């Protein structure tokens, strides 16, 4: 009986020792996950599924982006092809047909500033200056530093006889491209036309601009002031001759003086 009691006491002591060891076990001694465990297997399966879905979504996004880029390139190529046809028509003097080609090109690539510049030139050749100005302004919105857009704007404004605004447009062309001779020529013409509108003779305007360069300098020049004085004198003291018809030999000079005295 005593031996059995001792054996049972020893077994209880062993149990307490094992329990204490389990409570005091360090993290390093923790058992590893059993990968055959159902919980771990389900977690791993869930992670794999998420990774697979993420890769599939990314692949679809890449495919969509690639298709979109390819579509955009196709649209640009189509627009350029139509533009080439429009240029050929323009060179043949078929301005209305060229307008149609450039308009269709815009439907394929509406953000290409060159299409608007080309169509503006066609409208200018057709003397449709308001439409030419609208297209030129649109090309400038798309490409503010494109000299030709400002040149087209200046030409359209000249057609509309808005010479002061045209002068500013041509000055902007030369700021962007100082070597543009055509803009220099148009700028000079704008200034001549402004002086002519002020009452100067065309040749005189050219001479004064060659000497003083700007409209303001010409207007303030001694030559312009002298011309203004002479013009006023001619206006007030012009021709003093008077022709009277149906006068017979019986009418004397005194009769005429008396007639026109009042």
């Amino acid at each position: 009986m005593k031996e059995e009691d001792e054996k049972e006491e020893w077994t209880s002591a062993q149990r307490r020792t094992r329990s204490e060891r389990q409570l005091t076990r360090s993290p390093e001694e923790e058992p590893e996950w059993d990968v055959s465990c159902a919980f771990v297997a389900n977690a791993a399966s869930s992670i794999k599924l998420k990774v697979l879905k993420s890769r599939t979504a990314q692949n679809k996004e890449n495919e969509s982006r690639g298709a979109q880029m390819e579509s955009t390139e196709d649209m640009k190529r189509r627009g350029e092809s139509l533009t080439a046809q429009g240029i050929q028509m323009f060179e043949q003097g078929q301005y209305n047909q060229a307008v149609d080609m450039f308009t269709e090109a815009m439907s394929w690539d509406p953000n290409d500033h060159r299409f608007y510049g080309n169509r503006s030139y066609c409208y200018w050749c057709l003397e449709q200056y308001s439409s030419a100005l609208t297209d030129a302004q649109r090309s400038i919105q798309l490409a503010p530093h494109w000299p030709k857009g400002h040149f087209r704007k200046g030409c359209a404004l000249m057609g509309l006889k808005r010479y002061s605004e045209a002068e500013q447009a041509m000055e902007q062309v030369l700021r962007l491209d100082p070597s543009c001779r055509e803009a220099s020529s148009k700028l000079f013409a704008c200034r001549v036309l402004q002086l002519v509108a002020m009452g100067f003779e065309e040749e005189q305007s050219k001479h004064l601009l060659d000497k003083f360069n700007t409209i303001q300098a010409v207007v303030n020049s001694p030559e312009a002031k002298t011309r203004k004085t002479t013009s006023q004198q001619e206006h007030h003291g012009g021709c003093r001759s008077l022709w009277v018809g149906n006068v017979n030999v019986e009418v004397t000079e005194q009769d005429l003086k008396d007639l026109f005295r009042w």
Side-chain angles (χ1 to χ4, degrees):
M1 188 74 177
K2 185 177 182 181
E3 288 179 1
E4 289 179 0
D5 292 339
E6 288 177 356
K7 187 181 293 185
E8 185 177 352
E9 185 177 349
W10 183 81
T11 303
S12 298
Q14 274 189 327
R15 289 174 180 170
R16 285 196 301 274
T17 302
R18 287 177 183 173
S19 179
E20 289 173 358
R21 285 179 181 175
Q22 289 177 352
L23 290 173
T24 59
R25 182 177 292 165
S26 65
E28 290 79 2
E29 294 175 342
E30 290 293 332
E32 295 183 356
W33 288 106
D34 182 0
V35 295
S36 64
C37 171
F39 173 78
V40 176
N42 289 337
S45 176
S46 177
I47 291 171
K48 287 180 180 179
L49 183 60
K50 288 181 179 179
V51 171
L52 182 61
K53 287 182 178 179
S54 175
R55 287 178 179 174
T56 302
Q58 188 174 2
N59 290 338
K60 287 183 178 179
E61 185 178 351
N62 290 338
E63 288 175 3
S64 176
R65 189 178 300 137
Q68 185 176 0
M69 289 178 64
E70 185 177 351
S71 176
T72 302
E73 289 300 319
D74 287 342
M75 291 173 69
K76 286 185 176 181
R77 282 193 291 268
R78 178 60 177 161
E80 290 173 358
S81 175
L82 289 165
T83 298
Q85 296 177 51
I87 291 172
Q88 289 180 351
M89 291 177 177
F90 176 86
E91 291 173 346
Q92 295 169 7
Q94 300 175 5
Y95 303 129
N96 284 309
Q97 292 85 341
V99 165
D100 293 339
M101 286 294 104
F102 293 132
T103 301
E104 189 175 351
M106 291 171 192
S107 68
W108 289 94
D109 188 2
N111 295 319
D112 194 319
H113 59 278
R114 297 170 299 176
F115 299 165
Y116 293 92
N118 289 341
R119 194 172 69 173
S120 175
Y121 193 17
C122 291
Y123 280 134
W124 182 82
C125 292
L126 291 167
E127 298 184 1
Q128 298 179 21
Y129 301 121
S130 294
S131 297
L133 178 60
T134 299
D135 274 357
Q137 290 172 327
R138 178 57 180 158
S139 73
I140 292 170
Q141 289 175 350
L142 293 169
H145 301 294
W146 189 45
K148 192 168 286 187
H150 295 276
F151 183 80
R152 298 293 175 224
K153 178 182 177 180
C155 290
L157 288 166
M158 288 182 72
L160 293 168
K161 303 186 187 308
R162 293 159 58 177
Y163 301 123
S164 178
E165 296 173 74
E167 178 185 9
Q168 295 174 18
M170 293 304 172
E171 287 175 341
Q172 179 62 17
V173 175
L174 292 171
R175 278 192 286 269
L176 295 169
D177 183 9
S179 64
C180 184
R181 294 182 180 180
E182 196 169 4
S184 297
S185 176
K186 292 287 187 182
L187 176 60
F188 186 80
C190 285
R191 290 171 175 168
V192 169
L193 291 168
Q194 288 181 76
L195 288 174
V196 169
M198 294 178 187
F200 290 86
E201 297 293 332
E202 183 176 348
E203 290 303 318
Q204 183 187 29
S205 300
K206 293 178 180 179
H207 170 73
L208 291 172
L209 283 170
D210 283 334
K211 187 174 182 180
F212 297 104
N213 194 35
T214 66
I215 298 288
Q216 193 62 40
V218 168
V219 171
N220 294 331
S221 67
E223 287 88 342
K225 293 178 181 179
T226 302
R227 179 203 161 281
K228 185 176 180 180
T229 302
T230 303
S231 177
Q232 289 175 342
Q233 290 174 348
E234 290 176 352
H235 177 72
H236 293 294
C239 179
R240 300 176 66 86
S241 301
L242 177 64
W243 182 85
V244 180
N246 297 323
V247 177
N248 56 39
V249 293
E250 296 179 357
V251 178
T252 65
E253 183 177 348
Q254 187 60 44
D255 291 334
L256 292 174
K257 287 181 178 180
D258 293 339
L259 179 64
F260 289 99
R261 180 172 55 185
W262 304 105

Coordinates of all heavy atoms in Angstrom, one line a residue, residues 34-46:
D34 N 2.6 22.8 -38.3 CA 2.4 21.5 -39.0 C 1.7 21.8 -40.3 O 0.5 22.2 -40.3 CB 1.6 20.5 -38.2 CG 1.5 19.2 -38.9 OD1 2.0 19.0 -40.0 OD2 0.8 18.3 -38.3
V35 N 2.5 21.8 -41.4 CA 1.9 22.2 -42.7 C 0.8 21.2 -43.2 O 0.0 21.5 -44.1 CB 3.0 22.2 -43.8 CG1 4.0 23.3 -43.5 CG2 3.7 20.8 -43.9
S36 N 0.7 20.1 -42.5 CA -0.4 19.2 -42.9 C -1.7 19.6 -42.1 O -2.7 19.0 -42.4 CB 0.0 17.7 -42.6 OG 0.2 17.6 -41.2
C37 N -1.5 20.5 -41.2 CA -2.7 21.0 -40.5 C -3.7 21.6 -41.4 O -3.4 22.3 -42.3 CB -2.2 22.0 -39.4 SG -3.6 22.8 -38.5
A38 N -5.0 21.4 -41.2 CA -6.0 21.9 -42.1 C -6.0 23.4 -42.1 O -6.2 24.0 -43.2 CB -7.4 21.4 -41.6
F39 N -5.8 24.1 -40.9 CA -5.8 25.6 -40.9 C -4.8 26.1 -41.8 O -5.0 27.1 -42.5 CB -5.7 26.0 -39.4 CG -5.5 27.5 -39.3 CD1 -6.6 28.3 -39.3 CD2 -4.2 28.1 -39.1 CE1 -6.5 29.7 -39.2 CE2 -4.1 29.4 -39.0 CZ -5.2 30.2 -39.1
V40 N -3.5 25.6 -41.6 CA -2.4 26.1 -42.4 C -2.6 25.8 -43.9 O -2.4 26.7 -44.7 CB -1.1 25.4 -42.0 CG1 0.1 25.9 -42.8 CG2 -0.8 25.8 -40.5
A41 N -3.2 24.7 -44.2 CA -3.4 24.4 -45.6 C -4.4 25.3 -46.2 O -4.3 25.8 -47.4 CB -3.9 22.9 -45.7
N42 N -5.5 25.7 -45.5 CA -6.5 26.6 -46.0 C -5.9 28.0 -46.2 O -6.2 28.7 -47.1 CB -7.7 26.7 -45.0 CG -8.5 25.4 -45.0 OD1 -8.4 24.7 -46.0 ND2 -9.2 25.1 -44.0
A43 N -5.0 28.4 -45.2 CA -4.4 29.8 -45.3 C -3.5 29.8 -46.5 O -3.5 30.8 -47.3 CB -3.6 30.0 -44.0
A44 N -2.7 28.8 -46.8 CA -1.8 28.8 -47.9 C -2.6 28.8 -49.2 O -2.3 29.5 -50.2 CB -0.9 27.6 -47.9
S45 N -3.7 28.1 -49.3 CA -4.5 28.1 -50.5 C -5.2 29.4 -50.7 O -5.2 29.9 -51.9 CB -5.7 27.0 -50.3 OG -6.5 27.0 -51.4
S46 N -5.6 30.1 -49.6 CA -6.2 31.5 -49.8 C -5.1 32.5 -50.3 O -5.4 33.3 -51.2 CB -6.7 31.9 -48.4 OG -7.2 33.2 -48.5

